[in-house]
Each structure stands twice: as structure tokens, then as C-alpha cells.
Amino acid sequence: MRRERGRPASAIRTRDAPMTTTTPDWAARFSQRMTRVRASEIRELLKLLDQPDILSFAGGIPDPGLFPADRIQAAYDAILADPQQSRAALQYSVSEGYLPLRRWIAERMALDGVACDEHNIILTAGSQQALDLIGKLFLTRGDTVMVARPTYLGALQAFNAYEPAYLDLPDGALKTGVDTQRLMEGREPNPLAYFVPDFANPTGESLTLPEREALLDLAAELDMTLIEDAAYRELRFDGEALPTLLALDIARCGSIEQARTLFCGTFSKTISPALRLGWVCGPKAVIEKLVLLKQGCDLHVSTINQMALHATVSEGYEQHLGALRTAYGAKAAATLAALERHMPAGVTWSRPEGGMFVWLWLPEGMDGKLLLERSLAEERVAFVPGEPFFAEVPTANAIRLSYSLPTDAEIEDGVRRLAGLIGRS
């Protein structure tokens, strides 16, 4: 019998020898980084939406009644009816993204104080992919990621695979000042920082102008790369619009090419999440590297989706945003009014001027996870416990309510039921 190169004769199976099969120990084969990857509690809670008797404040997802479905359908129909457009729409495309859409985004960014062009933009599969690509680009195991307390759970999931060490920015630090030497003691230098300055998920709160300036001061002092997640920025329904972190950064340094801030935007909250379209705006040196990473990830975002989105937003976008702001503003007002009417003493909450969320602080000692278990069993009301939103030091006595989906009547009924349960707890 001829021996196969590199294998002992005892390891070669002959034609008549029985094949032995064993189930691989997959857990032992996974990479070390998988120990940091956890299921999203929010994604699991979305399954509750299929239960008709559940009144849900859980998923922070857009109201489907506000999707511009007719305009999206018209865009697809027009593209596919045109032989030249349809060939391009159904073909591979460049990783940077559809050029007319990138130019449209750059023009809107310029109106918001960010002078840039299409070369400063990369289109991504939602802003979630943007966070993953940024994490892959900047994070080495053990690097520090500074975040707010609490912060967006999806960002933690995106960064976790790259095994960073998290640093919660102390409560109120941007108001009172930061002792940076003490803050960074024992930490890796040149950290990454992630913040949602407008109507944050999960709190619904925004950074004031002085806090934005203080954050940029901190970023400069610590030489941080600053990620600005602007997922909800377009959904302001009250108060005065504030400059983006990137616009303030450029005002300081003179050019987007000198800025340290990366702006992450998305159409998921304004047009449709199913199109999976977001973007990163930043210095060309960063965008070029993100393009390389995207080439190894998914090549590019769906071409036809990019073309249809561009057609959808090219006309009437501001009117559409106005309708969203009116609708979500009314839902927020209904939620805040119901909380005022029904919540017992000891419960406090945020007062958002935009976005989709209200954050509740429960009485000391109350656990949001245990409250959810009881709420589902006794009141059939769903929400998201607050603990998963804390990166470094967990806090249990908080919950997140999303008002984007329920009607005014459901908001009133759900808050009344939840308040009653908290009062009995």
C-alpha cells in the first residue's frame, strides 16, 4: 500500500475499513474573541412582537405606517423599467457606494456644517456595519473604548469581537470636568470613544453644546478617535438643533481631513431599516481603509437598494422628515403625559426632544430584569431592562421604553399597567 505524503500509514483509511464519525467540539474550535460575543437581549425581545396580547415598548424600531412605501415602490419600478438602469442596478458595484447617493449625502452634511465631498463618504449596511468596520480598523485586543453610561448595546456588540476594555465616562463628567490622569490610569493610550450626542439610545437624552465642546476637549487631550453615532439626529421634534460633533471638530481644526471625529449616519430610522443603508463620513485616509475592509466583508451594499433610496430621498425628503417628527413627537408627548399621571413616587425619567426612547430610573434596589419577568407574566407589557446598556459597571434599576410603535391608547394603557406593577413591587 502506497503511503500518502505527510500521513502515517496508520492514519490512512482503506476501502474496507469502517469510517468512524464523531461530533466536533465546536465550542473548543471557536476563536477566543467569541467569548465576548453575546446574544442581544433587544433582538430576543423583538420576538415578543409576534405575540398579539403583548403590549410592547421593547423594540426601538420605526413605525411601519410611516415608511414611504409608495415612493420606494415607484423608485424600484422606474429603475427596473429602464434597461440601462436595471443592468447597473442588478450588477456588482464599487465598495464605496453609489456615487449619486454619496454626493447627495455630502451635500446634506455640508448644510449641517460639515464641508466634505463624496470621497469622504462610504455607504454601509446600516450604521451597525459602520460600527463593526470601525472597530475592526481601530481596535486591538485590550484597547480602551470610552462610552457613556449607559450606551447603545449594538455598539458594544460590534466592538466586543475585537476584545477592547471599556471605560464608562463618569456621570456628569462633561459638565463638571474630567481628571484625565486618574481616568486613564492603567489604560492603553489613544483610546476610541463612542457617543450618541442626539437623542441617545437608550436614554433619549442629548449632549448640550457645552458638553459637546467638553467632549471634543477630552478627545484632543487624550488623542482619541471619536465616533459620533447620529442614528436619531433627523428625528428632532422639540428644541433647537445643535451642531454635530464633526461640525464642531471641523470648526476647530479647519478641515474634515484634520478632524478626529467619524460621523455615522443611517436611513434606517428615516426611510426603512430593510434597505440596510447607512454611511460613515470622515477623513479620506480613514474612508479608504474602511473601503478595503468592506471589500473583504460584503463587497458592497445592494446596488438596487442604493439607487432606489437615492430616488426616494432626492425629492420631498424634508416633508417626509416633517411627518416623522410630528408623529414621534406626539407619541413622546403621550408617553410623558402617561408617566406623569401614573408612575409612583421614586421613579424618574428622561424628557427627550427627539428620537424614540424614554429612560426610566426605578427605585433603588429594584431590578429591571426581574421587573420584566413579572411584567410579562402579570401585565403582558414588554420593555428592555437597563442593565445590558452599561459597558463597565452594570446598573440594574433602570428600564428603556420605546414609544415608536404603540398607539396613544396603547401607550396610556401600557404605562398604567406598568406603573401599577412598579407600585406593587
Side-chain angles (χ1 to χ4, degrees):
M1 180 177 66
R2 183 172 60 87
R3 175 178 295 186
E4 294 182 23
R5 181 178 296 177
R7 299 179 65 191
S10 59
I12 301 172
R13 185 173 65 85
T14 64
R15 180 177 298 178
D16 298 328
M19 179 182 292
T20 59
T21 59
T22 58
T23 302
D25 181 2
W26 290 115
R29 301 180 185 209
F30 295 150
S31 67
Q32 176 66 28
R33 71 177 65 92
M34 286 305 296
T35 62
R36 299 286 298 272
V37 178
R38 298 284 188 272
S40 166
E41 297 195 25
I42 298 174
R43 305 307 302 175
E44 293 300 313
L45 280 170
L46 286 177
K47 298 174 183 177
L48 295 171
L49 299 181
D50 293 331
Q51 300 180 26
D53 66 327
I54 291 287
L55 202 164
S56 180
F57 295 103
I61 59 179
D63 182 347
L66 299 173
F67 295 154
D70 291 345
R71 294 174 58 196
I72 294 172
Q73 180 177 345
Y76 280 107
D77 289 345
I79 291 167
L80 294 174
D82 182 314
Q84 185 173 355
Q85 282 202 82
S86 66
R87 282 195 293 270
L90 299 175
Q91 187 55 275
Y92 286 113
S93 186
V94 297
S95 299
E96 292 87 339
Y98 183 52
L99 181 58
L101 181 56
R102 287 161 51 217
R103 284 177 173 164
W104 184 91
I105 291 170
E107 289 169 1
R108 283 193 66 86
M109 296 293 300
L111 293 174
D112 213 6
V114 177
C116 64
D117 62 31
E118 65 271 18
H119 302 294
N120 298 109
I121 308 288
I122 179 176
L123 295 176
T124 59
S127 58
Q128 190 66 29
Q129 185 187 51
L131 297 177
D132 178 67
L133 293 176
I134 290 170
K136 186 179 293 186
L137 179 59
F138 286 100
L139 292 176
T140 301
R141 184 180 184 181
D143 283 354
T144 299
V145 178
M146 182 183 294
V147 295
R149 278 185 50 84
T151 193
Y152 172 47
L153 176 58
L156 301 181
Q157 288 186 295
F159 300 146
N160 277 346
Y162 307 108
E163 303 178 89
Y166 289 107
L167 172 60
D168 288 341
L169 187 66
D171 296 339
L174 295 178
K175 290 185 176 72
T176 61
V178 182
D179 182 344
T180 54
Q181 184 173 357
R182 182 176 180 183
L183 182 69
M184 296 304 297
E185 187 175 358
R187 304 277 181 174
E188 292 293 327
N190 303 328
L192 194 69
Y194 168 83
F195 286 85
V196 187
D198 295 291
F199 326 123
N201 181 358
T203 64
E205 295 177 338
S206 301
L207 296 180
T208 65
L209 183 57
E211 288 172 333
R212 293 172 196 233
E213 296 284 8
L215 181 56
L216 287 169
D217 290 341
L218 182 61
E221 183 177 353
L222 296 177
D223 195 19
M224 295 192 295
T225 300
L226 184 56
I227 304 170
E228 176 176 14
D229 189 339
Y232 305 94
R233 178 172 173 79
E234 300 275 31
L235 300 182
R236 175 177 287 279
F237 45 72
D238 196 11
E240 299 261 336
L242 295 174
T244 65
L245 294 175
L246 180 53
L248 293 171
D249 193 355
I250 291 172
R252 291 179 174 209
C253 70
S255 165
I256 191 171
E257 303 306 330
Q258 278 72 54
R260 64 176 63 252
T261 304
L262 305 177
F263 180 101
C264 297
T266 180
F267 293 100
S268 292
K269 309 303 185 294
T270 57
I271 298 296
S272 166
L275 295 178
R276 305 310 306 134
L277 279 164
W279 74 92
V280 181
C281 179
K284 293 184 181 71
V286 176
I287 299 301
E288 289 167 0
K289 294 300 183 184
L290 292 176
V291 169
L292 295 179
L293 291 175
K294 188 165 176 59
Q295 289 172 354
C297 177
D298 63 357
L299 300 183
H300 62 85
V301 183
S302 163
T303 310
I304 192 170
N305 285 1
Q306 295 179 70
M307 293 174 70
L309 177 66
H310 178 249
T312 301
V313 300
S314 291
E315 294 183 9
Y317 187 55
E318 288 301 331
Q319 293 90 328
H320 173 67
L321 290 179
L324 296 183
R325 292 162 181 159
T326 298
Y328 290 129
K331 288 173 180 282
T335 303
L336 295 174
L339 290 169
E340 291 284 358
R341 278 192 293 272
H342 300 298
M343 277 296 160
V347 180
T348 59
W349 52 87
S350 61
R351 298 183 178 277
E353 295 182 336
M356 299 179 174
F357 307 106
V358 173
W359 180 256
L360 273 64
W361 287 105
L362 304 172
E364 197 69 37
M366 190 173 291
D367 188 318
K369 286 186 178 181
L370 297 180
L371 183 67
L372 176 61
E373 293 177 7
R374 288 191 58 193
S375 183
L376 292 173
E378 299 175 26
E379 299 294 346
R380 306 300 284 163
V381 174
F383 53 83
V384 181
E387 185 172 342
F389 295 99
F390 292 89
E392 191 179 23
V393 181
T395 299
N397 65 317
I399 63 175
R400 190 196 76 178
L401 303 184
S402 173
Y403 46 76
S404 59
L405 284 182
T407 64
D408 286 1
E410 290 170 335
I411 289 171
E412 175 69 18
D413 185 30
V415 169
R416 178 185 56 80
R417 286 194 240 167
L418 179 58
L421 176 62
I422 294 174
R424 299 193 303 270
S425 298

